[in-house]
Amino acid sequence: MIYQANSARPRVIYDFDQVLIWSVLLLLSIGLIMIYSASIAIAEAQFGVDRANYYLLRHSSFLVVGFVLGLIAFQVPMRVWQKYIGYLFMGNALLLVLVLVPGIGHEVNGSQRWISLYVVNLQPSEFMKFVMVLYAADYVNRKAADLSYLLKGFLPITIVMALVGFLLLLQPDFGAFVVVTMLAMSILFLGGVSLKIFIGLICILAVGLYGLILTSPYRLDRVVAFMDPWADPYGNGYQLSHALIAFGRGEWLGVGLGGSVEKLFYLPEAHTDFLLSVLAEELGFVGVSTVILLFICLIIRAFLIGRLAAKLESSFSALVAQGIGIWIGLQALINMGVNMGVLPTKGLTLPLLSFGGSSIAAICIALAVLLRIDWENRQRLRGVTV
């Protein structure tokens, strides 16, 4: 920060977006508290009473690692990210391949999405979301003049999206596939792709998703369960029915922090995918509304930072900032929709809140890049070269 002289008292001019920073810090703090509340019973059952804070300590270590990675990412100028995005993309694509190799990929609950690093499990699909934002932004920036042409502008990135999507579906990670695809499409739309081509792609994707659901029994079961979870409350509708019970018990102000019943082995994945349901039960409508408002603040600031970057003729940074906002908003919307029963169950965490090392690390890096864009915008406004 710097100081400006004033007749009454010094006035501080911050080099960072304070609304963005406080929104992130509050979401991280709420997440830490709720993970501890939601995981105490699970930790006691798995590791004993003496280690009831296991998931709290582990998530705290993830936050420290994410903070360190974020500090490193912030030091990298946006021109460097743009210059080396091709290598970053190929490296992450290689990890998506390695995760499928027996002996390297680690399988959990029938999905092979992780690479075991002994201390932690690395989930490459989480980092691919961030990399896809950078890659799509760079592609649009380079191919801006060709985006109205199917072969020259649109087909190359469609092939890239198809290859990444294929690797994600092999794991299978349908949730990450949806997020990565929507991210690339959103950035293409923001970059000015031909409306006819864009609508055509939406139609193709809609048909493709419908085919994936019909040809996959477990996905079809999830859709059927989502439409009527009470038809099979002890089977396919088990998770959703208990999530809805948690929301119902929370009412306006909740049953009180730590008072959730559903987290006591009724609601699976209470500290990960269904953390919002525990929050709704304990903190009620007020708690859920607070979280939603904080996400809205974060997303609005991301778009405002992107708009300013566009005005300063930094189109790559503008698209990256808005892409990060779309990513966080889209994934939060899907997770909330799943918890509230308006979307089929998907294995997606709630950004900044849910337990998960790879998710926290990837989001922290992305937010550090967003802050870097904001910082570079402010330097340009002062006439400083970055």
Side-chain angles (χ1 to χ4, degrees), residues 80-135:
V80 176
W81 285 108
Q82 187 174 12
K83 182 178 180 181
Y84 293 103
I85 181 55
Y87 298 104
L88 193 61
F89 181 85
M90 288 188 290
N92 210 101
L94 178 61
L95 290 177
L96 289 180
V97 174
L98 289 177
V99 82
L100 299 171
V101 177
I104 298 178
H106 181 60
E107 184 175 330
V108 178
N109 295 330
S111 297
Q112 195 161 323
R113 306 174 186 174
W114 297 268
I115 295 176
S116 177
L117 302 179
Y118 298 102
V119 179
V120 294
N121 290 326
L122 178 70
Q123 189 173 356
S125 60
E126 291 294 337
F127 294 95
M128 178 52 77
K129 297 169 188 175
F130 170 63
V131 172
M132 181 56 77
V133 169
L134 295 175
Y135 181 84

Side-chain angles (χ1 to χ4, degrees), residues 23-99:
S23 297
V24 171
L25 289 178
L26 287 171
L27 285 169
L28 288 173
S29 300
I30 293 171
L32 191 63
I33 293 169
M34 292 311 306
I35 284 171
Y36 184 42
S37 177
S39 66
I40 292 176
I42 300 171
E44 286 183 356
Q46 291 179 337
F47 309 107
V49 178
D50 294 337
R51 300 184 68 188
N53 60 353
Y54 173 82
Y55 288 102
L56 171 67
L57 295 176
R58 195 162 176 82
H59 189 72
S60 298
S61 67
F62 293 155
L63 290 177
V64 172
V65 171
F67 181 75
V68 172
L69 292 175
L71 283 178
I72 296 171
F74 179 80
Q75 306 304 316
V76 182
M78 291 309 298
R79 52 184 169 79
V80 176
W81 285 108
Q82 187 174 12
K83 182 178 180 181
Y84 293 103
I85 181 55
Y87 298 104
L88 193 61
F89 181 85
M90 288 188 290
N92 210 101
L94 178 61
L95 290 177
L96 289 180
V97 174
L98 289 177
V99 82

Side-chain angles (χ1 to χ4, degrees), residues 80-326:
V80 176
W81 285 108
Q82 187 174 12
K83 182 178 180 181
Y84 293 103
I85 181 55
Y87 298 104
L88 193 61
F89 181 85
M90 288 188 290
N92 210 101
L94 178 61
L95 290 177
L96 289 180
V97 174
L98 289 177
V99 82
L100 299 171
V101 177
I104 298 178
H106 181 60
E107 184 175 330
V108 178
N109 295 330
S111 297
Q112 195 161 323
R113 306 174 186 174
W114 297 268
I115 295 176
S116 177
L117 302 179
Y118 298 102
V119 179
V120 294
N121 290 326
L122 178 70
Q123 189 173 356
S125 60
E126 291 294 337
F127 294 95
M128 178 52 77
K129 297 169 188 175
F130 170 63
V131 172
M132 181 56 77
V133 169
L134 295 175
Y135 181 84
D138 176 59
Y139 183 87
V140 168
N141 191 59
R142 288 185 292 106
K143 295 277 190 177
D146 298 324
L147 289 179
S148 296
Y149 302 98
L150 180 62
L151 295 180
K152 291 173 63 178
F154 195 70
L155 187 61
I157 194 169
T158 303
I159 294 173
V160 170
M161 288 167 55
L163 290 174
V164 171
F166 178 70
L167 292 173
L168 291 172
L169 289 174
L170 286 177
Q171 296 182 12
D173 194 344
F174 190 68
F177 166 75
V178 171
V179 172
V180 168
T181 303
M182 293 298 292
L183 278 176
M185 288 180 59
S186 299
I187 293 173
L188 284 171
F189 179 77
L190 291 172
V193 70
S194 168
L195 188 60
K196 291 182 179 179
I197 295 176
F198 186 76
I199 293 174
L201 178 62
I202 291 177
C203 294
I204 293 171
L205 285 173
V207 173
L209 290 174
Y210 183 70
L212 286 172
I213 292 171
L214 287 182
T215 56
S216 178
Y218 85 92
R219 290 194 190 106
L220 185 59
D221 289 342
R222 283 185 174 184
V223 172
V224 172
F226 144 75
M227 295 174 67
D228 185 9
W230 307 109
D232 188 13
Y234 298 105
N236 292 325
Y238 183 81
Q239 280 183 313
L240 181 53
S241 61
H242 281 278
L244 293 175
I245 291 171
F247 269 87
R249 291 191 75 244
E251 297 185 348
W252 287 98
L253 298 176
V255 297
L257 188 62
S260 170
V261 172
E262 288 300 318
K263 70 183 181 184
L264 302 177
F265 310 105
Y266 293 103
L267 183 63
E269 311 296 339
H271 59 301
T272 55
D273 299 353
F274 284 88
L275 184 71
L276 186 70
S277 296
V278 178
L279 188 148
E281 186 178 1
E282 295 189 348
L283 303 182
F285 176 81
V286 173
V288 174
S289 298
T290 301
V291 169
I292 292 174
L293 286 174
L294 288 172
F295 273 116
I296 290 173
C297 287
L298 193 161
I299 295 161
I300 289 174
R301 300 313 300 177
F303 271 83
L304 291 176
I305 290 169
R307 187 174 69 174
L308 180 56
K311 288 181 179 179
L312 295 171
E313 298 182 349
S314 182
S315 57
F316 172 72
S317 295
L319 289 170
V320 170
Q322 293 173 350
I324 291 171
I326 292 170

Side-chain angles (χ1 to χ4, degrees), residues 6-20:
N6 188 285
S7 56
R9 60 178 180 175
R11 181 163 60 91
V12 179
I13 298 179
Y14 292 97
D15 276 339
F16 303 103
D17 190 313
Q18 296 300 298
V19 175
L20 174 64

